[in-house]
Amino acid sequence: MDKVSYLAIMERSDEGYSVYFPDVPGCISWGKDVEEAQIKAREALDLHLYGLVAENERLPEASASVKIQNPTDIVCLISTYPKIFKERFENKKVKVNVTIPNWLKNQAVAEKVNFSQVLELSLKEMLCSSSQG
C-alpha cells in the first residue's frame, strides 16, 4: 500500500468547514478554516484507513470526480501513506501504569534504571520467545 488519495468535500458553515469523503463512508472531520480542515481531514483519513486495514477490509476505490451540492463547497484531494501511518501509529510510545514493590522501585531509582526501557525490552523478549515456542 503506497500513497492513496481521496477527494474530500469541505462544506462552509458559520463555525468553519466540515469535511467528508464521499468514497470513504463514515470518515468526517472539521476545521475552523480551509488549512485546518485539510490537516484534520488527513488525520481523519489516516485513522479511518488504519481501522479498515486492522479489520482486514479493503480500502475503498477512489473516484476521479465528485458532485457538490452547494457552489460554496470546496473539493480537495487528500493523500496519505497507510503503511507509514500504521508504522508510526503502532510504534507510538504510550504511558502505562504499573505496580511494583517499593523496595524494588527505590533500588532501581538509585541505580538510575530506565523503567520504560526495561519494561519494553522485557516484554519484547517474553512475547517473542513465547511466539516462537
Side-chain angles (χ1 to χ4, degrees):
M1 245 183 286
D2 295 319
K3 180 169 103 171
V4 295
S5 302
Y6 293 95
L7 293 171
I9 297 177
M10 293 188 212
E11 296 178 329
R12 183 150 174 63
S13 70
D14 292 339
E15 295 80 34
Y17 291 86
S18 61
V19 184
Y20 70 95
F21 295 84
D23 294 329
V24 189
C27 185
I28 58 172
S29 188
W30 180 88
K32 68 179 182 289
D33 54 37
V34 172
E35 183 179 353
E36 183 182 57
Q38 286 178 315
I39 291 168
K40 298 292 185 182
R42 172 139 185 241
E43 290 172 0
L45 184 61
D46 279 333
L47 286 169
H48 197 90
L49 297 182
Y50 174 78
L52 292 175
V53 170
E55 296 293 323
N56 293 317
E57 295 186 30
R58 292 172 49 98
L59 297 185
E61 291 291 323
S63 298
S65 64
V66 293
K67 291 186 179 186
I68 58 173
Q69 303 296 322
N70 190 322
T72 60
D73 290 351
I74 299 170
V75 177
C76 65
L77 188 66
I78 305 291
S79 299
T80 187
Y81 295 84
K83 279 185 179 178
I84 293 171
F85 180 78
K86 180 181 186 290
E87 177 82 15
R88 287 183 183 158
F89 187 76
E90 291 182 352
N91 287 299
K92 180 180 147 188
K93 303 292 184 186
V94 294
K95 283 190 171 240
V96 176
N97 188 12
V98 298
T99 304
I100 60 173
N102 191 44
W103 69 266
L104 187 59
K105 178 204 148 238
N106 291 338
Q107 189 172 348
V109 169
E111 297 288 326
K112 296 185 168 97
V113 171
N114 181 323
F115 287 86
S116 296
Q117 185 179 44
V118 169
L119 178 60
E120 182 178 347
L121 290 172
S122 297
L123 285 170
K124 284 179 179 177
E125 183 179 307
M126 183 184 87
L127 295 172
C128 290
S129 67
S130 69
S131 67
Q132 293 175 0

